[in-house]
């Protein structure tokens, strides 16, 4: 049986903020750099994680 992790909207938003702080960028800057394929491997991991968080936040409305 798969493990389910329950996370609140607030926890997701906090995680999102922490990740952006770790790479020292705004979401817009990270997004622009991702569109130009100009991210380090760490930044790319953050980008993919943010995409997942944003997907979850979108579905939580």
């Amino acid at each position: 049986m798969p493990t389910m992790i329950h996370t609140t909207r607030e926890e997701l938003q906090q995680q999102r903020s922490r990740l952006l702080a770790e790479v020292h960028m705004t979401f817009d800057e990270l997004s622009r750099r991702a569109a130009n394929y100009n991210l380090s491997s760490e930044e790319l991991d953050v980008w993919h994680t943010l995409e997942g968080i944003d997907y979850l936040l979108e579905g939580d409305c």
Side-chain angles (χ1 to χ4, degrees):
M1 176 180 241
T3 302
M4 290 192 69
I5 299 171
H6 296 279
T7 305
T8 66
R9 182 173 191 78
E10 182 178 291
E11 289 170 330
L12 288 171
Q13 290 169 332
Q14 289 172 350
Q15 182 183 9
R16 192 178 188 281
S17 295
R18 278 193 308 272
L19 289 167
L20 288 169
E22 283 179 19
V23 293
H24 308 288
M25 284 186 242
T26 65
F27 180 80
D28 290 337
E29 182 180 1
L30 189 64
S31 177
R32 279 192 306 273
R33 290 186 60 192
N36 290 319
Y37 301 97
N38 191 20
L39 296 174
S40 70
S41 60
E42 178 187 347
E43 293 164 345
L44 185 59
D45 286 343
V46 168
W47 175 248
H48 288 304
T49 302
L50 289 178
E51 287 180 314
I53 289 171
D54 288 350
Y55 173 80
L56 292 172
L57 289 172
E58 229 176 71
D60 191 37
C61 296

PDB file of all heavy atoms in Angstrom, residues 35-51:
ATOM      1  N   ALA A  35      13.164  28.642 -18.321  1.00  0.00           N
ATOM      2  CA  ALA A  35      12.731  28.746 -19.718  1.00  0.00           C
ATOM      3  C   ALA A  35      13.925  28.849 -20.667  1.00  0.00           C
ATOM      4  O   ALA A  35      13.847  28.417 -21.816  1.00  0.00           O
ATOM      5  CB  ALA A  35      11.821  29.960 -19.896  1.00  0.00           C
ATOM      6  N   ASN A  36      15.031  29.397 -20.169  1.00  0.00           N
ATOM      7  CA  ASN A  36      16.246  29.550 -20.978  1.00  0.00           C
ATOM      8  C   ASN A  36      17.254  28.422 -20.744  1.00  0.00           C
ATOM      9  O   ASN A  36      18.395  28.514 -21.210  1.00  0.00           O
ATOM     10  CB  ASN A  36      16.924  30.893 -20.670  1.00  0.00           C
ATOM     11  CG  ASN A  36      16.121  32.057 -21.182  1.00  0.00           C
ATOM     12  OD1 ASN A  36      15.584  32.003 -22.278  1.00  0.00           O
ATOM     13  ND2 ASN A  36      16.012  33.110 -20.379  1.00  0.00           N
ATOM     14  N   TYR A  37      16.841  27.373 -20.020  1.00  0.00           N
ATOM     15  CA  TYR A  37      17.722  26.238 -19.712  1.00  0.00           C
ATOM     16  C   TYR A  37      19.025  26.715 -19.059  1.00  0.00           C
ATOM     17  O   TYR A  37      20.121  26.277 -19.420  1.00  0.00           O
ATOM     18  CB  TYR A  37      18.037  25.428 -20.981  1.00  0.00           C
ATOM     19  CG  TYR A  37      16.800  24.894 -21.645  1.00  0.00           C
ATOM     20  CD1 TYR A  37      16.214  25.570 -22.716  1.00  0.00           C
ATOM     21  CD2 TYR A  37      16.195  23.729 -21.192  1.00  0.00           C
ATOM     22  CE1 TYR A  37      15.049  25.085 -23.313  1.00  0.00           C
ATOM     23  CE2 TYR A  37      15.038  23.244 -21.776  1.00  0.00           C
ATOM     24  CZ  TYR A  37      14.475  23.921 -22.838  1.00  0.00           C
ATOM     25  OH  TYR A  37      13.334  23.451 -23.427  1.00  0.00           O
ATOM     26  N   ASN A  38      18.879  27.623 -18.107  1.00  0.00           N
ATOM     27  CA  ASN A  38      20.037  28.229 -17.468  1.00  0.00           C
ATOM     28  C   ASN A  38      20.008  28.007 -15.955  1.00  0.00           C
ATOM     29  O   ASN A  38      20.144  28.955 -15.184  1.00  0.00           O
ATOM     30  CB  ASN A  38      20.068  29.726 -17.814  1.00  0.00           C
ATOM     31  CG  ASN A  38      21.357  30.383 -17.412  1.00  0.00           C
ATOM     32  OD1 ASN A  38      22.366  29.715 -17.222  1.00  0.00           O
ATOM     33  ND2 ASN A  38      21.321  31.692 -17.260  1.00  0.00           N
ATOM     34  N   LEU A  39      19.800  26.747 -15.532  1.00  0.00           N
ATOM     35  CA  LEU A  39      19.754  26.426 -14.107  1.00  0.00           C
ATOM     36  C   LEU A  39      20.812  25.379 -13.773  1.00  0.00           C
ATOM     37  O   LEU A  39      21.079  24.482 -14.575  1.00  0.00           O
ATOM     38  CB  LEU A  39      18.383  25.868 -13.717  1.00  0.00           C
ATOM     39  CG  LEU A  39      17.182  26.788 -13.850  1.00  0.00           C
ATOM     40  CD1 LEU A  39      15.899  26.019 -13.551  1.00  0.00           C
ATOM     41  CD2 LEU A  39      17.307  27.993 -12.941  1.00  0.00           C
ATOM     42  N   SER A  40      21.382  25.506 -12.580  1.00  0.00           N
ATOM     43  CA  SER A  40      22.270  24.451 -12.086  1.00  0.00           C
ATOM     44  C   SER A  40      21.401  23.240 -11.733  1.00  0.00           C
ATOM     45  O   SER A  40      20.163  23.332 -11.703  1.00  0.00           O
ATOM     46  CB  SER A  40      23.018  24.939 -10.840  1.00  0.00           C
ATOM     47  OG  SER A  40      22.115  25.059  -9.750  1.00  0.00           O
ATOM     48  N   SER A  41      22.020  22.118 -11.437  1.00  0.00           N
ATOM     49  CA  SER A  41      21.243  20.924 -11.088  1.00  0.00           C
ATOM     50  C   SER A  41      20.426  21.148  -9.814  1.00  0.00           C
ATOM     51  O   SER A  41      19.276  20.711  -9.719  1.00  0.00           O
ATOM     52  CB  SER A  41      22.145  19.701 -10.955  1.00  0.00           C
ATOM     53  OG  SER A  41      23.102  19.898  -9.943  1.00  0.00           O
ATOM     54  N   GLU A  42      20.985  21.856  -8.848  1.00  0.00           N
ATOM     55  CA  GLU A  42      20.254  22.163  -7.612  1.00  0.00           C
ATOM     56  C   GLU A  42      19.056  23.067  -7.915  1.00  0.00           C
ATOM     57  O   GLU A  42      17.956  22.837  -7.418  1.00  0.00           O
ATOM     58  CB  GLU A  42      21.172  22.846  -6.596  1.00  0.00           C
ATOM     59  CG  GLU A  42      20.456  23.234  -5.319  1.00  0.00           C
ATOM     60  CD  GLU A  42      21.315  24.065  -4.371  1.00  0.00           C
ATOM     61  OE1 GLU A  42      22.540  24.148  -4.568  1.00  0.00           O
ATOM     62  OE2 GLU A  42      20.737  24.630  -3.426  1.00  0.00           O
ATOM     63  N   GLU A  43      19.285  24.093  -8.718  1.00  0.00           N
ATOM     64  CA  GLU A  43      18.195  25.000  -9.084  1.00  0.00           C
ATOM     65  C   GLU A  43      17.113  24.281  -9.880  1.00  0.00           C
ATOM     66  O   GLU A  43      15.925  24.539  -9.695  1.00  0.00           O
ATOM     67  CB  GLU A  43      18.749  26.181  -9.875  1.00  0.00           C
ATOM     68  CG  GLU A  43      19.648  27.084  -9.060  1.00  0.00           C
ATOM     69  CD  GLU A  43      20.499  28.014  -9.899  1.00  0.00           C
ATOM     70  OE1 GLU A  43      20.631  27.803 -11.131  1.00  0.00           O
ATOM     71  OE2 GLU A  43      21.063  28.960  -9.326  1.00  0.00           O
ATOM     72  N   LEU A  44      17.520  23.347 -10.733  1.00  0.00           N
ATOM     73  CA  LEU A  44      16.554  22.580 -11.514  1.00  0.00           C
ATOM     74  C   LEU A  44      15.707  21.694 -10.595  1.00  0.00           C
ATOM     75  O   LEU A  44      14.497  21.577 -10.790  1.00  0.00           O
ATOM     76  CB  LEU A  44      17.270  21.738 -12.570  1.00  0.00           C
ATOM     77  CG  LEU A  44      16.385  20.967 -13.537  1.00  0.00           C
ATOM     78  CD1 LEU A  44      15.455  21.914 -14.316  1.00  0.00           C
ATOM     79  CD2 LEU A  44      17.239  20.145 -14.492  1.00  0.00           C
ATOM     80  N   ASP A  45      16.327  21.104  -9.583  1.00  0.00           N
ATOM     81  CA  ASP A  45      15.572  20.317  -8.597  1.00  0.00           C
ATOM     82  C   ASP A  45      14.538  21.188  -7.899  1.00  0.00           C
ATOM     83  O   ASP A  45      13.389  20.776  -7.702  1.00  0.00           O
ATOM     84  CB  ASP A  45      16.505  19.700  -7.556  1.00  0.00           C
ATOM     85  CG  ASP A  45      17.312  18.536  -8.096  1.00  0.00           C
ATOM     86  OD1 ASP A  45      16.939  17.989  -9.162  1.00  0.00           O
ATOM     87  OD2 ASP A  45      18.315  18.174  -7.455  1.00  0.00           O
ATOM     88  N   VAL A  46      14.944  22.393  -7.522  1.00  0.00           N
ATOM     89  CA  VAL A  46      14.021  23.328  -6.875  1.00  0.00           C
ATOM     90  C   VAL A  46      12.886  23.678  -7.834  1.00  0.00           C
ATOM     91  O   VAL A  46      11.712  23.691  -7.450  1.00  0.00           O
ATOM     92  CB  VAL A  46      14.756  24.600  -6.385  1.00  0.00           C
ATOM     93  CG1 VAL A  46      13.777  25.689  -5.982  1.00  0.00           C
ATOM     94  CG2 VAL A  46      15.685  24.259  -5.221  1.00  0.00           C
ATOM     95  N   TRP A  47      13.214  23.925  -9.089  1.00  0.00           N
ATOM     96  CA  TRP A  47      12.205  24.284 -10.084  1.00  0.00           C
ATOM     97  C   TRP A  47      11.156  23.171 -10.209  1.00  0.00           C
ATOM     98  O   TRP A  47       9.957  23.427 -10.196  1.00  0.00           O
ATOM     99  CB  TRP A  47      12.860  24.572 -11.427  1.00  0.00           C
ATOM    100  CG  TRP A  47      11.865  24.816 -12.511  1.00  0.00           C
ATOM    101  CD1 TRP A  47      11.611  24.031 -13.593  1.00  0.00           C
ATOM    102  CD2 TRP A  47      10.954  25.913 -12.608  1.00  0.00           C
ATOM    103  NE1 TRP A  47      10.608  24.570 -14.351  1.00  0.00           N
ATOM    104  CE2 TRP A  47      10.184  25.727 -13.762  1.00  0.00           C
ATOM    105  CE3 TRP A  47      10.711  27.037 -11.816  1.00  0.00           C
ATOM    106  CZ2 TRP A  47       9.190  26.617 -14.153  1.00  0.00           C
ATOM    107  CZ3 TRP A  47       9.718  27.923 -12.210  1.00  0.00           C
ATOM    108  CH2 TRP A  47       8.972  27.717 -13.360  1.00  0.00           C
ATOM    109  N   HIS A  48      11.616  21.939 -10.318  1.00  0.00           N
ATOM    110  CA  HIS A  48      10.675  20.823 -10.450  1.00  0.00           C
ATOM    111  C   HIS A  48       9.831  20.650  -9.191  1.00  0.00           C
ATOM    112  O   HIS A  48       8.634  20.344  -9.281  1.00  0.00           O
ATOM    113  CB  HIS A  48      11.410  19.530 -10.794  1.00  0.00           C
ATOM    114  CG  HIS A  48      11.940  19.501 -12.187  1.00  0.00           C
ATOM    115  ND1 HIS A  48      11.160  19.692 -13.300  1.00  0.00           N
ATOM    116  CD2 HIS A  48      13.197  19.305 -12.651  1.00  0.00           C
ATOM    117  CE1 HIS A  48      11.896  19.611 -14.381  1.00  0.00           C
ATOM    118  NE2 HIS A  48      13.148  19.397 -14.026  1.00  0.00           N
ATOM    119  N   THR A  49      10.427  20.857  -8.039  1.00  0.00           N
ATOM    120  CA  THR A  49       9.674  20.772  -6.787  1.00  0.00           C
ATOM    121  C   THR A  49       8.621  21.870  -6.720  1.00  0.00           C
ATOM    122  O   THR A  49       7.476  21.632  -6.322  1.00  0.00           O
ATOM    123  CB  THR A  49      10.621  20.848  -5.572  1.00  0.00           C
ATOM    124  OG1 THR A  49      11.583  19.789  -5.672  1.00  0.00           O
ATOM    125  CG2 THR A  49       9.850  20.714  -4.264  1.00  0.00           C
ATOM    126  N   LEU A  50       8.992  23.077  -7.143  1.00  0.00           N
ATOM    127  CA  LEU A  50       8.029  24.184  -7.153  1.00  0.00           C
ATOM    128  C   LEU A  50       6.884  23.917  -8.117  1.00  0.00           C
ATOM    129  O   LEU A  50       5.732  24.254  -7.817  1.00  0.00           O
ATOM    130  CB  LEU A  50       8.717  25.503  -7.519  1.00  0.00           C
ATOM    131  CG  LEU A  50       9.653  26.085  -6.468  1.00  0.00           C
ATOM    132  CD1 LEU A  50      10.301  27.358  -6.996  1.00  0.00           C
ATOM    133  CD2 LEU A  50       8.930  26.353  -5.175  1.00  0.00           C
ATOM    134  N   GLU A  51       7.178  23.311  -9.253  1.00  0.00           N
ATOM    135  CA  GLU A  51       6.111  22.956 -10.188  1.00  0.00           C
ATOM    136  C   GLU A  51       5.113  22.011  -9.516  1.00  0.00           C
ATOM    137  O   GLU A  51       3.896  22.166  -9.674  1.00  0.00           O
ATOM    138  CB  GLU A  51       6.682  22.298 -11.446  1.00  0.00           C
ATOM    139  CG  GLU A  51       7.397  23.253 -12.369  1.00  0.00           C
ATOM    140  CD  GLU A  51       7.946  22.554 -13.591  1.00  0.00           C
ATOM    141  OE1 GLU A  51       8.573  21.469 -13.456  1.00  0.00           O
ATOM    142  OE2 GLU A  51       7.750  23.090 -14.698  1.00  0.00           O
TER     143      GLU A  51
END
